[in-house]
Amino acid sequence: MPRLWDVGHCIYCGSSADLTDEHIVPQSFGGTWVLPKSSCKSCNVVTSKIEQYVARNMYWLPRVKLGIRTNPKRKKEKPKSWPIDIVENDLTIRKYIEINDMPLVYVVIEPIVAGIIESRPLSDRNPEMKVSVKGDISAIERLMVVESANIQIISDSLWFPLFQMLAKIAHAYTVAVAGSGGIAFFLPELILGAKKFVGHYVGGMIDETPDMKSDEQLRLSLRTIRNEKYLCVTINLMPNTLPIYDVISAKLIDHSPVMSRIKLYNEYLENRG
Ligand SMILES: [Zn+2]
């Protein structure tokens, strides 16, 4: 498991006490990169809760079905069955389907492009997004025929924890690649729970699919918006399953040290072929 440089302070609140290691992409989503000594214990409680919600309540089914690696220590918690509600007339009956017989279905949340990219004014309103259900819809229809009733799939899909998790990944990756000096970060407050302005920084894909390798979940790029330089993290959390997200994580203040680190990063990307 690649360990990057020791940060020496909490990347969310700045504290230098009780530092723990931080996975950039959660292990439950196949992440392997660790940023050592970069999260304090109390921020770790917050980010772990967010990750648990998204991994278990929202995307457990696709993770299990698609065989996405879970934390080896938590293997026991893998579910053997999945709840569905059978709805007939006014009656709802909960039934458990063996995980192998359960069709793959999941909620997909697609926000519009981050507001900062399009120069939209800062807004407290919830970001615009499209919510849809994807997966093996025809298998669900077959299941309805078998049960001769309508079926409701039980799945939580609160958008805010997902956006918080995307912000967390983008922020940690930005620190890992570009360091923490000479940069004004946007995301720590949002990660720790402030719902304000979330659609300004977290959004859907800006350009066409970036040229990312199939095993590549993250890509940092430099973007110029109204003559200022910003850092953008493209997140392909579950390739071919979830949408690609683009998160604007920070603004460059002191260009030269950050640019030289980004140059090293681009050389690293080129050399890995
Ligand atoms: Zn902290």
Side-chain angles (χ1 to χ4, degrees):
M1 192 171 292
R3 282 176 71 85
L4 305 161
W5 56 289
D6 275 20
V7 178
H9 63 263
C10 175
I11 60 171
Y12 309 111
C13 74
S15 163
S16 52
D18 282 338
L19 295 177
T20 59
D21 295 352
E22 181 74 320
H23 273 86
I24 295 178
V25 171
Q27 276 183 295
S28 49
F29 285 94
T32 55
W33 280 25
V34 173
L35 197 54
K37 296 200 169 88
S38 63
S39 173
C40 75
K41 289 222 167 95
S42 60
C43 290
N44 185 256
V45 169
V46 176
T47 54
S48 301
K49 253 189 206 154
I50 296 164
E51 289 165 12
Q52 244 177 48
Y53 177 86
V54 179
R56 292 188 192 174
N57 299 40
M58 289 179 75
Y59 294 122
W60 207 333
L61 197 54
R63 282 174 47 236
V64 170
K65 287 255 162 207
L66 302 173
I68 293 165
R69 210 175 60 89
T70 46
N71 183 337
K73 280 182 251 163
R74 295 194 188 137
K75 230 176 204 160
K76 277 195 245 84
E77 296 165 29
K78 253 190 175 180
K80 303 245 179 320
S81 59
W82 196 261
I84 56 169
D85 280 349
I86 312 280
V87 188
E88 207 165 17
N89 302 324
D90 288 339
L91 214 65
T92 302
I93 301 164
R94 179 146 307 176
K95 199 173 165 177
Y96 287 83
I97 304 262
E98 282 279 309
I99 214 84
N100 290 333
D101 301 331
M102 180 67 201
L104 173 62
V105 274
Y106 54 95
V107 172
V108 169
I109 299 180
E110 289 170 281
I112 58 171
V113 168
I116 191 168
I117 288 286
E118 295 186 328
S119 304
R120 295 198 302 269
L122 271 173
S123 163
D124 274 354
R125 289 172 48 196
N126 292 347
E128 267 179 58
M129 65 189 86
K130 198 176 101 194
V131 180
S132 51
V133 176
K134 284 206 174 150
D136 196 348
I137 305 298
S138 60
I140 288 288
E141 283 163 3
R142 283 198 296 276
L143 200 60
M144 288 200 203
V145 174
V146 173
E147 300 290 345
S148 63
N150 273 319
I151 287 174
Q152 281 172 358
I153 307 300
I154 324 273
S155 171
D156 275 11
S157 55
L158 296 176
W159 62 270
F160 188 57
L162 173 67
F163 284 34
Q164 275 179 301
M165 192 181 91
L166 294 169
K168 192 227 91 159
I169 294 169
H171 179 66
Y173 194 56
T174 303
V175 176
V177 174
S180 55
I183 297 175
F185 291 100
F186 295 136
L187 304 171
E189 284 183 10
L190 161 58
I191 296 163
L192 297 179
K195 217 168 184 174
K196 263 184 173 180
F197 313 143
V198 42
H200 207 62
Y201 306 114
V202 179
M205 196 166 62
I206 299 167
D207 306 322
E208 286 302 294
T209 319
D211 145 51
M212 283 162 87
K213 309 231 175 306
S214 59
D215 65 338
E216 203 182 339
Q217 286 180 304
L218 302 173
R219 178 67 70 86
L220 184 91
S221 58
L222 209 56
R223 302 221 164 230
T224 306
I225 309 166
R226 280 154 291 151
N227 295 321
E228 305 264 27
K229 294 238 182 300
Y230 294 84
L231 295 171
C232 172
V233 178
T234 302
I235 305 176
N236 196 0
L237 198 58
M238 287 166 96
N240 307 316
T241 304
L242 295 186
I244 293 175
Y245 298 94
D246 271 321
V247 181
I248 307 297
S249 57
K251 183 178 169 181
L252 255 62
I253 305 296
D254 184 6
H255 288 211
S256 58
V258 183
M259 295 300 273
S260 59
R261 281 191 288 266
I262 290 176
K263 200 171 153 245
L264 283 175
Y265 169 71
N266 285 330
E267 281 166 13
Y268 160 78
L269 287 178
E270 267 167 40
N271 289 336
R272 74 194 277 268

